[in-house]
Amino acid sequence: MPTERIHNFNAGPAVLPLSVVHEVAAALPNLHNTGIGLLECSHRSKVFQEVVDNAVARVRRVLSVPEDYTILFLQGGASLQFYMTALNLLRPGEAADYLVTGTWAQKAIKEAKRIGDAKALWDGAANQFRDLPGDGDYKVRDEAVYLHYTSNNTIYGTEYHRTPDAQGHHLIADLSSDIAGVPVNIAAHDLVYAGAQKNLGPSGLTLVILSPWALARTAPGTPAMLDYQVHAKDGSLYNTPNAFGIYVLERMLNFMEQNGGLQGAIDRNRAKSELLYSELDRSGFWRPHAVREARSWMNVTWRLPTPELEESFLKAAKAAGMEGLKGHRSVGGIRASLYNALELSSVQALVAFMQDFEKRSG
Ligand SMILES: Cc1ncc(COP(=O)(O)O)c(C=O)c1O
C-alpha cells in the first residue's frame, strides 16, 4: 500500500485537502464529542442540524449568495438537476433555451425536452466543443422562460470567464466543475446547481441555489422528491439527506474560509492553470484542445502527436506518481484536473515530467 499520497489529477471525485480528510476521519468514530460517529448520528439531532446550518452559512458567505436565495443540499447528482430544473421551472410546452457546449449540456437539454420546448441556441459539437459562444452568437427566444448554460465543460476543458448574457431572461447554470474555484456572480442567476465531487466534497451530494422566483415556480402536483419547495420547506431534511456529504462540504468550505475564501482559491487556481498552459504553449509537441479564450482553469485538455505517445505518456506518468490524467473516454488524450485542493506542487511536478517526457520522445 502506498504510504504517501500521489498527485491526483482526477476529474471527480477528486483530491480533497489532506487536513479535511483527517477532520472527516476524526469525526467517523465521534462527531463533535457526542460519543456518536458521523455515520451513526441522527440527521434530526441538534449536532447534525448545526452542521447543516453551518454548511448553509458557509455557502452563502463563500459564494456571496444573496440573502433571499435558498440553498439546498440534494441527492441524485447534477444529472438529476438536468430534469428537475426543467420540471420545476417550465410548464408543459413552454420554451427554454440552451447553450450546448459539451456532453453535460447535451444531457441537460435532453432532459428538458421531456418537459417543454427546449432548444439549442448554439451547439459546439461540429467543432469538437473546443469553443464557447460569444454573447452576440445567439438570440434568446422572446418566449423562452430561461437560458441554461454549463459554466465549465469538464470533458472538453472549456470554461466561460464571464457570465453569459441572458438577454433579460432568467439564467440557469450547471456549475458542477468550477463552483467555488473561479469568480461567479450568483445574483445574476435564478438557479445554479453543482455536484459536490470536484471542489466541494464527495459524490452523492448536489448543491442547488435558487432565487425567490425559481423557488416560487414549482407547479402544483410535482412529486415531492422532485419539488424544490418541499426540500426548501424542510431545510434539505425532507428525507434522510447525505449526511456524510454535507459534513464534508461544511469542512471543505471551512478550509476555504481559512485560506483566503473564494478569492484565495481563485488566485491559486489561476497560478496553477497559467503554469500548465504556459508549458502547453511552449512546444508544438503538446496540442491543447480548447481555443485560448475558452480555456478552463479546472480541466486542462490536450493531445500528443500520436495515440501511442499518449498511451506511453499516461503509463510513464502513473509510474512517476501521477494519477487521473487520462482524457474522458469520449475524447481521449490527456486531461489534468486542477481543482481547489490540488497543490501547485502537483502542477510543478507534472510540468517537470512533461518536459522530461518531451525530451525523451520528441
Ligand atoms: C459539468 C458537469 N455537469 C454534470 C455532471 C454530472 O454530475 P453527476 O455525476 O453528479 O450527476 C458532471 C460530472 O462530472 C459535470 O462535470
Side-chain angles (χ1 to χ4, degrees):
M1 210 169 87
T3 50
E4 281 190 16
R5 281 159 70 87
I6 57 171
H7 301 292
N8 180 354
F9 294 96
N10 274 315
V15 60
L16 299 178
L18 187 56
S19 63
V20 170
V21 174
H22 283 311
E23 280 179 334
V24 174
L28 287 178
N30 191 350
L31 176 62
H32 298 178
N33 292 322
T34 54
I36 295 180
L38 170 59
L39 304 180
E40 304 156 290
C41 142
S42 166
H43 60 293
R44 307 277 173 209
S45 62
K46 184 164 171 288
V47 66
F48 189 71
Q49 186 62 54
E50 278 169 17
V51 172
V52 176
D53 293 344
N54 285 338
V56 169
R58 289 193 199 282
V59 169
R60 203 176 292 284
R61 281 198 299 271
V62 168
L63 297 177
S64 302
V65 177
E67 274 309 314
D68 58 351
Y69 277 44
T70 301
I71 295 167
L72 298 179
F73 302 120
L74 304 182
Q75 300 182 63
S79 298
L80 180 59
Q81 294 309 308
F82 298 156
Y83 182 67
M84 199 165 157
T85 48
L87 181 69
N88 281 259
L89 302 185
L90 289 184
R91 301 290 172 269
E94 279 185 346
D97 286 348
Y98 281 69
L99 301 176
V100 178
T101 53
T103 307
W104 301 112
Q106 286 174 324
K107 291 191 171 174
I109 191 171
K110 185 171 171 208
E111 295 303 316
K113 281 182 175 167
R114 298 181 199 279
I115 309 289
D117 168 20
K119 181 178 174 193
L121 288 190
W122 190 93
D123 191 326
N127 193 23
Q128 291 87 47
F129 295 116
R130 291 170 194 278
D131 206 352
L132 295 174
D135 284 340
D137 293 344
Y138 56 87
K139 162 86 180 71
V140 182
R141 290 177 291 172
D142 291 343
E143 65 273 27
V145 176
Y146 63 78
L147 175 70
H148 177 287
Y149 75 103
T150 313
S151 59
N152 182 72
N153 298 284
T154 326
I155 294 174
Y156 298 94
T158 59
E159 184 176 35
Y160 291 91
H161 296 289
R162 63 194 159 77
T163 306
D165 183 5
Q167 300 170 9
H169 295 253
H170 296 287
L171 187 61
I172 313 298
D174 175 359
L175 303 184
S176 291
S177 53
D178 65 1
I179 192 164
V182 298
V184 65
N185 178 2
I186 299 290
H189 299 78
D190 272 288
L191 192 154
V192 302
Y193 58 91
Q197 65 269 25
K198 288 113 172 25
N199 276 334
L200 294 177
S203 59
L205 180 69
T206 318
L207 173 64
V208 181
I209 304 176
L210 304 104
S211 73
W213 170 81
L215 186 61
R217 278 287 290 184
T218 311
T222 301
M225 280 299 287
L226 300 177
D227 182 335
Y228 290 126
Q229 289 183 19
V230 167
H231 291 288
K233 186 168 149 293
D234 285 339
S236 299
L237 299 178
Y238 168 69
N239 71 322
T240 318
N242 178 349
F244 176 79
I246 295 172
Y247 181 79
V248 181
L249 175 140
E250 194 277 328
R251 288 293 83 197
M252 282 292 285
L253 290 168
N254 174 61
F255 177 88
M256 275 190 79
E257 292 199 287
Q258 288 179 352
N259 288 276
L262 180 60
Q263 192 56 49
I266 290 169
D267 294 344
R268 290 187 293 276
N269 291 335
R270 180 187 286 119
K272 287 182 292 183
S273 65
E274 279 179 3
L275 177 60
L276 184 48
Y277 283 117
S278 67
E279 170 58 21
L280 291 181
D281 290 337
R282 186 190 55 78
S283 156
F285 187 66
W286 314 117
R287 296 155 190 211
H289 179 77
V291 304
R292 190 174 292 264
E293 312 75 58
R295 285 176 169 179
S296 168
W297 292 10
M298 299 279 114
N299 312 98
V300 181
T301 51
W302 71 96
R303 307 293 310 231
L304 270 65
T306 64
E308 293 71 34
L309 275 170
E310 288 171 353
E311 210 171 294
S312 56
F313 179 94
L314 291 169
K315 215 167 141 204
K318 197 175 166 75
M322 292 175 214
E323 271 285 355
L325 287 166
K326 192 170 168 34
H328 189 269
R329 60 190 180 282
S330 60
V331 291
I334 315 295
R335 170 176 59 178
S337 296
L338 315 181
Y339 299 125
N340 285 0
L342 187 88
E343 301 277 355
L344 177 64
S345 56
S346 290
V347 183
Q348 288 166 334
L350 174 60
V351 167
F353 167 80
M354 289 167 72
Q355 292 176 352
D356 183 54
F357 184 85
E358 187 199 357
K359 268 196 212 106
R360 286 188 283 119
S361 335

